[in-house]
Amino acid sequence: MKASYLTLGLILLAGFATGCDNVSEDDRYIKVEKPVIDNPRTLLIMEFTGNNCLNCPTGAKTVDQIKEDEGHDRVISVGLHPDGSIFTNPVIATKPNRHLQDFRTEAATVWFDYYGKPNGFPTAVFNGTSISSSIGDWQARAAQALTIPASMTIDANCSYDSSTRDLTVDYTINFGNTVNGRLNILVWLVENDIIGTQSMPDGTKDEEYVHNHVLRAALNGNWGTSIGEAFYPEDQVTGSASLQLSDKWVAENCVAVVFVYRDDNKEVEQAASISID
């Protein structure tokens, strides 16, 4: 057990020590054989990223490749732009018109602080517990996370009023196994297809970069809502969360991400996503 903790600690230290330097060819995405897992969890990848980070476009491409290889129905990604890092400072975006581009959110900052404000950007967190700033090992971490079976399913649906821009996300959690430990449910709003400025690996700035999976807001608080601490097969939990969308967000490009996680160590037990429009 002590050896396991030591190994994990070394992995975390190695990940945090990686900054936003150029990524070598040895650290690029490498495809490996996928195992066949019955009833796998949906993988939630939280990616701490920024528009001033040279390596973040490479990180985004790697996550997209993971989703392509593993299946878009099995992998959900969210880009978190926290406050407190030079890589997430606002920039001027000239497309489609000149404006201040600021993707930072309180929700992203809270989770960034929880993980110790990792210095390496981008940093990815796989199902809440496996953390890496080394893009080259993201695929292996994703594959490992997908070997863990699910104890529950999440069904979600959205109700959106375009006239008031009010959004309500209803969810139903159905348990298939016994789960002990306090669980929270969190609902995030994520936006895709945002045209804006991005620093690129060659040092240039792309004024027409497409930012995807950008976390816009948490619908039910930064840490979500507690749903209890002891669950048994055939137990069911229902609930909802609401938010009024900002006029700056394009509703048809937005997705609700719903996930259940353990309160003690933030391990994600299950996740789901649904378009809101």
Side-chain angles (χ1 to χ4, degrees):
M1 182 64 71
K2 290 183 179 178
S4 299
Y5 287 145
L6 177 58
T7 301
L8 178 59
L10 291 174
I11 291 173
L12 293 176
L13 287 173
F16 289 161
T18 304
C20 192
D21 301 321
N22 288 334
V23 179
S24 69
E25 290 299 323
D26 291 337
D27 288 331
R28 304 291 179 177
Y29 181 89
I30 300 174
K31 185 175 179 180
V32 299
E33 196 69 26
K34 295 184 295 182
V36 177
I37 305 299
D38 291 333
N39 193 30
R41 294 184 191 180
T42 298
L43 169 60
L44 176 64
I45 303 176
M46 304 178 190
E47 184 184 358
F48 294 110
T49 186
N51 38 230
N52 293 307
C53 166
L54 300 180
N55 283 341
C56 287
T58 303
K61 287 182 180 179
T62 301
V63 171
D64 286 343
Q65 187 63 57
I66 291 171
K67 294 169 75 171
E68 188 68 27
D69 286 354
E70 301 290 357
H72 289 264
D73 59 333
R74 297 186 64 194
V75 182
I76 298 170
S77 61
V78 180
L80 288 80
H81 296 249
D83 197 5
S85 170
I86 60 173
F87 301 125
T88 62
N89 286 341
V91 298
I92 296 296
T94 61
K95 304 291 184 178
N97 51 60
R98 190 172 179 82
H99 65 281
L100 186 67
Q101 175 182 302
D102 188 356
F103 294 145
R104 296 174 300 177
T105 62
E106 180 182 341
T109 304
V110 165
W111 283 80
F112 183 64
D113 290 347
Y114 171 78
Y115 290 114
K117 299 183 179 181
N119 292 323
F121 264 64
T123 289
V125 185
F126 300 85
N127 273 349
T129 57
S130 178
I131 309 169
S132 174
S133 297
S134 178
I135 297 172
D137 70 17
W138 287 7
Q139 186 265 350
R141 289 177 182 259
Q144 174 60 33
L146 286 166
T147 65
I148 302 173
S151 298
M152 67 197 72
T153 61
I154 300 176
D155 295 315
N157 62 80
C158 296
S159 175
Y160 177 67
D161 187 330
S162 59
S163 62
T164 64
R165 298 183 66 81
D166 289 327
L167 168 69
T168 297
V169 179
D170 298 305
Y171 53 80
T172 300
I173 308 164
N174 290 295
F175 287 83
N177 299 93
T178 298
V179 179
N180 292 310
R182 183 174 296 279
L183 300 181
N184 294 343
I185 188 163
L186 187 50
V187 184
W188 279 346
L189 182 72
V190 174
E191 186 176 2
N192 295 304
D193 298 323
I194 306 170
I195 306 298
T197 300
Q198 175 64 49
S199 295
M200 302 301 292
D202 61 2
T204 63
K205 289 189 181 294
D206 185 349
E207 300 289 346
E208 298 187 14
Y209 185 86
V210 180
H211 298 266
N212 287 314
H213 323 300
V214 176
L215 176 62
R216 287 302 199 181
L219 276 68
N220 59 337
N222 293 325
W223 297 113
T225 305
S226 174
I227 60 172
E229 55 187 29
F231 306 91
Y232 302 95
E234 300 186 6
D235 279 358
Q236 185 179 86
V237 176
T238 61
S240 64
S242 300
L243 176 76
Q244 184 177 53
L245 271 65
S246 165
D247 292 336
K248 298 178 181 179
W249 306 338
V250 181
E252 54 265 33
N253 294 341
C254 289
V255 174
V257 174
V258 183
F259 64 98
V260 173
Y261 71 93
R262 290 185 175 272
D263 184 63
D264 57 352
N265 65 356
K266 307 304 180 282
E267 179 183 0
V268 175
E269 291 285 340
Q270 189 57 289
S273 65
I274 183 171
S275 298
I276 73 166
D277 199 25

